[in-house]
Every structure is written in structure tokens, then in C-alpha cells.
């Protein structure tokens, strides 16, 4: 018999009392319930955890992002005060590698202040341990709390954990998808009885023309708009890296991952990572509407190659033992190759900048001055 999580009983109680809950609310409770939420109670990363992210695959990822931040600082006219902000920094590995790379640039290294936006107390402690001894680091519960000033914002695998709405197309229109109880009191999917009025007017033409039964996923734009607004008004750039699609389209990508395998999101609330792919067209559109300059998206493979990851790997391998060399080579492969297990084409990179920065290193097509590089 499957052991039910404490959150399972809690959600069941809420559904019995108030009726079916939208998928976004179910996802929000699974990840952020104040006591049992997945991102409140544990460190999910690494071989011992549930999944591995790019900074945990290889130090090269964070190092290149550090040098990317330096290129933004230069393009911003080398301001005297500069902030590095990371949203959802995991174990702090990427920031630690980025800062190590930035030590070669004392004029920047000595001016930066680092801001870690993290809700998970367990991971916050890990980040403090990883970054111990480094000065000028502040932790924040929310992006809104980060002080003003020119900055670079990193968001790696951050947007995929933000709750999504799922909409199902029926003859009567687009209905919000919900989680309800079946006859055996297990969680099951259903739809709201009434369609959401006017929803289809908000949809891109490709999605509007979808067949009956299609599912469309969307996230509220408040996070991306806050990032874009800050970049536009206070100068600098943001880089958003995640798995997802370049064009808005239909499809059910709501998924759970536990112990490095896919799981049923309705079976293990609070015990598995629950995510959905990121719609990069929607992010780009929202950022553009706020007045930020949009660059890309392009694939992670293209981005890291343009930043010189292959040369960096060769340099590291020259000084390494055969075992370490093999690790470097397999990390490189995982980061840039497509196909099964590779992150190179599934992951996309979107850049945002203020209007004074026409080109972002590795992302914009330098000949078109920031127009999408295509993926
Ligand atoms: C999938 S992990 C990615 C970690 C890290 N960026 C990496 O690449 O290793 C998601 C991160 O976002 C954090 N997180 C989730 N929801 C958040 C929120 N609403 N505000 C701030 N951080 C959040 C998690 O605790 C975790 O650090």
C-alpha cells in the first residue's frame, strides 16, 4: 500500500470542504505549502536528491555566466556599483563558480554586491556554506526586496517551478483544469464546469486553432514583468535559462520528478519536484510589453558554445588527471548535446537588457542587433 504524504491528506481535506482546486493551486501547495511544500522542506538537488541542474553538472556553467555578467557590466559603462542577483540559487554552486571567474577582474569584483533570492530555508543554509568567506552577500525572501541599482539577474531553472494554469479546450470554450477526488477518493483531473470568459481572445493564433481536448499552459506574468521593469529602469541585463519551448503551443508538460525519474504529479504531493515547461514566447512578449530589450531565445548549446565552453573544457582537461578529464568531457557533453539526457537543445536561453545594450554576449545575433537568434 502506498504511504500518503501529510500534504496529501491536507489537500484532500481542502477539496472535500471547498470543491475541486485549479491545477495552479495544487502545484503551489505541493511546492510552497508553509510546512510540507517541496521547496520549503528539503535540498532536492544532486545525485542523492531528485534532479541535477547545469551548475551541478559542471563548474564551467557558472564560470561562463560570471564572465557573461562581466560583459554586461562593461556594456553598461562599468558602473561603480553593480549587483549580481540570482533567483532560486539552489546550492549556491553557480554563484560560487561565477564569483571565482570574476576574481580575474578586480575592478568589477571589488564593486559587486551579491543578492540571493531564495524561499527555501534548507537551501539558504547550503548557499551560506558554499559561499562562506565571500563578502557582500545578502539573502532575500522576495525579488522586490533587492535594493535598486544596475544589475545582472540570473534565473536558472527558476521559472519551471512557478505554478502554471492548465486550460482544456472543450466545445463550450477553454475550461480551467482542476484536481478533484474520484470515486475512490484518489486525486484525478477534471475541468471547471464553466469556460473562462474571453480566454481565447488572449491566445496566439496557433493555440486558438487547437483541436478539442488540447491543453494550454500559462503562467501569470508578474515575475517576468518585475524583472523586465527593473532592467529597463535601473539598467543591466537578465538571463533566463530553463527547459521549454520557443513558440507558445498546446501540450501537457505538467510533470513530477523524484529520484531522477518521472513520477505522477497527483501521487506524491510535497514529495516530488513538480514543474512544467517554460513558454519562452510568452516571457519574451511580456518583457517586451514592459519595455525591456529582448534577446533570443536560443538553445543552451548555442549559448554555451558561443561563450567558449569547448575551449574552457580543453584548458581544464590539460591540467587534469585522466579521471577528472573524463568527468569534464561528460559534463560538457551533457550541457551542450541534444537527445536523451542532454540539456543542449531542450534548454533555452532568453536575455533581457535595457535599451542602451544592443547586444548580449552569446545570445543576440550580433549582425541583427539583438533580434532573436532562432532556436
Ligand atoms: C529547480 S531549483 C534550481 C536551483 C538552481 N538555480 C540551480 O540551477 O541549481 C529551483 C530553485 O528555486 C527556489 N525557489 C522556488 N520557488 C521560489 C520562489 N517563489 N522564490 C524564490 N526561490 C524559489 C528553490 O528553492 C530552488 O533554489
Amino acid at each position: 500500500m502506498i504511504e500518503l504524504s501529510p500534504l496529501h491528506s491536507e489537500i484532500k481535506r481542502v477539496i472535500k470542504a471547498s470543491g475541486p482546486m485549479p491545477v495552479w493551486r495544487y502545484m503551489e501547495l505541493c511546492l510552497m505549502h508553509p510546512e510540507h511544500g517541496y521547496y520549503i522542506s528539503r535540498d532536492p538537488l544532486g545525485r542523492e536528491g531528485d534532479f541535477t541542474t547545469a551548475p551541478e553538472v559542471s563548474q564551467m556553467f557558472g564560470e561562463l555566466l560570471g564572465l557573461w555578467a562581466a560583459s554586461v557590466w562593461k556594456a553598461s559603462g562599468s558602473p561603480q556599483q553593480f549587483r549580481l542577483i540570482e533567483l532560486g540559487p539552489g546550492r549556491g554552486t553557480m554563484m560560487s563558480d561565477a564569483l571565482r571567474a570574476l576574481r580575474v577582474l578586480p575592478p568589477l569584483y571589488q564593486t559587486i554586491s551579491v543578492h540571493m533570492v531564495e524561499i527555501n530555508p534548507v537551501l539558504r543554509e547550503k548557499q551560506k556554506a558554499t559561499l562562506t568567506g565571500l563578502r557582500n552577500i545578502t539573502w532575500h525572501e522576495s525579488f522586490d526586496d533587492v535594493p535598486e541599482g544596475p544589475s545582472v539577474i540570473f534565473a536558472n531553472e527558476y521559472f519551471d517551478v512557478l505554478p502554471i494554469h492548465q486550460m482544456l479546450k472543450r466545445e463550450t470554450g477553454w475550461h480551467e483544469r482542476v484536481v478533484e477526488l474520484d470515486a475512490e477518493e484518489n486525486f484525478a483531473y477534471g475541468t471547471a464546469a464553466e469556460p473562462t470568459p474571453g480566454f481565447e481572445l488572449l491566445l496566439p493564433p496557433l493555440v486558438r486553432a487547437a483541436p478539442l481536448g488540447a491543453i494550454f499552459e500559462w503562467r501569470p506574468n508578474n515575475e517576468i514583468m518585475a524583472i523586465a521593469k527593473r532592467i529597463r529602469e535601473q539598467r543591466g541585463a537578465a538571463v533566463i535559462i530553463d527547459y521549454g519551448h520557443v513558440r507558445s503551443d498546446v501540450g501537457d508538460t505538467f510533470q513530477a520528478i523524484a529520484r531522477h525519474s518521472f513520477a505522477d504529479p497527483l501521487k506524491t504531493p510535497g514529495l516530488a519536484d513538480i514543474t512544467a515547461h517554460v513558454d519562452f514566447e510568452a516571457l519574451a512578449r511580456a518583457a517586451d510589453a514592459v519595455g525591456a530589450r529582448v534577446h533570443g531565445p536560443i538553445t543552451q548549446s548555442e549559448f554555451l558554445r558561443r561563450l567558449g565552453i569547448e575551449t574552457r573544457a580543453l584548458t581544464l582537461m590539460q591540467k587534469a588527471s585522466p579521471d577528472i578529464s573524463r568527468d569534464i568531457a561528460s559534463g560538457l557533453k551533457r550541457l551542450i548535446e541534444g537527445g536523451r539526457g542532454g540539456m543542449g537543445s531542450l534548454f533555452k536561453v532568453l536575455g533581457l537588457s535595457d535599451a542602451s545594450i544592443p547586444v548580449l554576449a552569446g545570445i543576440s545575433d550580433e549582425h541583427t542587433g539583438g533580434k532573436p537568434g532562432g532556436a
Side-chain angles (χ1 to χ4, degrees):
M1 188 173 132
I2 303 169
E3 201 184 322
L4 299 181
S5 67
L7 194 54
H8 199 284
S9 321
E10 169 83 9
I11 294 175
K12 195 188 257 190
R13 189 185 59 70
V14 175
I15 294 177
K16 278 185 171 172
S18 319
M21 76 173 53
V23 165
W24 72 263
R25 178 64 181 149
Y26 176 82
M27 184 171 176
E28 185 178 60
L29 285 173
C30 289
L31 298 178
M32 261 107 52
H33 181 277
E35 196 182 344
H36 306 299
Y38 182 78
Y39 275 115
I40 301 299
S41 54
R42 69 189 66 221
D43 169 7
L45 288 138
R47 216 170 282 176
E48 305 297 307
D50 290 326
F51 57 89
T52 304
T53 57
E56 305 296 331
V57 168
S58 167
Q59 68 182 72
M60 296 184 286
F61 189 81
E63 289 170 348
L64 291 174
L65 279 154
L67 297 176
W68 182 86
S71 74
V72 174
W73 174 71
K74 272 216 118 149
S76 307
S78 311
Q80 298 263 309
Q81 212 195 30
F82 199 65
R83 303 190 190 284
L84 279 190
I85 306 170
E86 187 171 356
L87 305 179
R91 291 177 164 177
T93 308
M94 187 173 111
M95 188 57 82
S96 159
D97 292 334
L99 290 174
R100 192 179 53 254
L102 286 177
R103 275 173 193 255
V104 301
L105 276 171
L108 170 57
Y109 190 71
Q110 276 149 24
T111 51
I112 43 180
S113 57
V114 175
H115 300 268
M116 310 284 269
V117 181
E118 177 61 72
I119 47 156
N120 181 332
V122 181
L123 285 177
R124 211 177 302 146
E125 286 314 307
K126 288 251 156 114
Q127 292 156 18
K128 286 184 178 159
T130 308
L131 299 169
T132 186
L134 297 170
R135 59 186 186 94
N136 236 344
I137 305 182
T138 321
W139 274 264
H140 309 270
E141 284 276 325
S142 151
F143 179 57
D144 297 340
D145 301 338
V146 180
E148 294 188 352
S151 50
V152 151
I153 302 169
F154 296 135
N156 186 59
E157 289 210 39
Y158 175 70
F159 275 87
D160 66 84
V161 303
L162 301 180
I164 46 149
H165 290 259
Q166 283 198 321
M167 308 297 291
L168 187 106
K169 187 171 181 182
R170 289 172 36 184
E171 271 165 8
T172 38
W174 290 88
H175 294 242
E176 180 102 35
R177 208 171 184 215
V178 296
V179 176
E180 59 191 18
L181 296 177
D182 67 13
E184 278 84 45
E185 297 208 343
N186 295 315
F187 294 147
Y189 293 111
T191 50
E194 297 298 325
T196 304
F199 182 74
E200 98 162 37
L201 300 175
L202 304 171
L203 293 173
L206 178 71
V207 177
R208 213 177 297 166
L212 294 180
I215 289 175
F216 178 65
E217 298 172 338
W218 67 278
R219 289 184 168 85
N221 282 332
N222 45 333
E223 296 264 347
I224 185 68
M225 287 172 104
I227 294 171
K229 187 162 175 288
R230 180 182 171 113
I231 292 299
R232 187 199 71 203
E233 290 173 356
Q234 293 168 44
R235 317 270 314 271
V239 60
I240 295 160
I241 307 174
D242 226 309
Y243 43 93
H245 35 282
V246 168
R247 298 267 162 265
S248 298
D249 205 351
V250 291
D252 181 0
T253 71
F254 189 51
Q255 63 186 25
I257 296 183
R259 304 262 154 218
H260 300 269
S261 301
F262 288 110
D264 181 342
L266 299 190
K267 289 268 158 51
T268 47
L271 302 179
D273 188 26
I274 298 196
T275 70
H277 284 206
V278 172
D279 179 346
F280 279 89
E281 185 180 353
L283 291 186
R285 211 182 313 117
D288 181 61
V290 172
R293 196 165 190 149
V294 174
H295 308 255
I298 61 166
T299 61
Q300 174 170 299
S301 176
E302 184 76 18
F303 176 62
L304 295 177
R305 283 189 154 119
R306 286 183 186 178
L307 292 183
I309 194 167
E310 286 149 320
T311 312
R312 177 70 185 135
L314 283 175
T315 310
L316 286 172
M317 285 158 88
Q318 272 161 9
K319 295 187 226 147
S321 66
D323 278 356
I324 303 282
S325 260
R326 262 192 297 278
D327 282 354
I328 297 166
S330 82
L332 173 69
K333 197 166 167 229
R334 180 130 182 235
L335 290 179
I336 65 174
E337 285 203 348
R340 213 177 135 74
M343 304 170 102
S345 55
L346 176 62
F347 281 69
K348 312 293 185 307
V349 180
L350 180 74
L352 307 179
S353 72
D354 68 71
S356 73
I357 303 180
V359 168
L360 283 181
I363 307 179
S364 358
D365 181 336
E366 304 197 8
H367 304 291
T368 58
K371 293 267 163 47

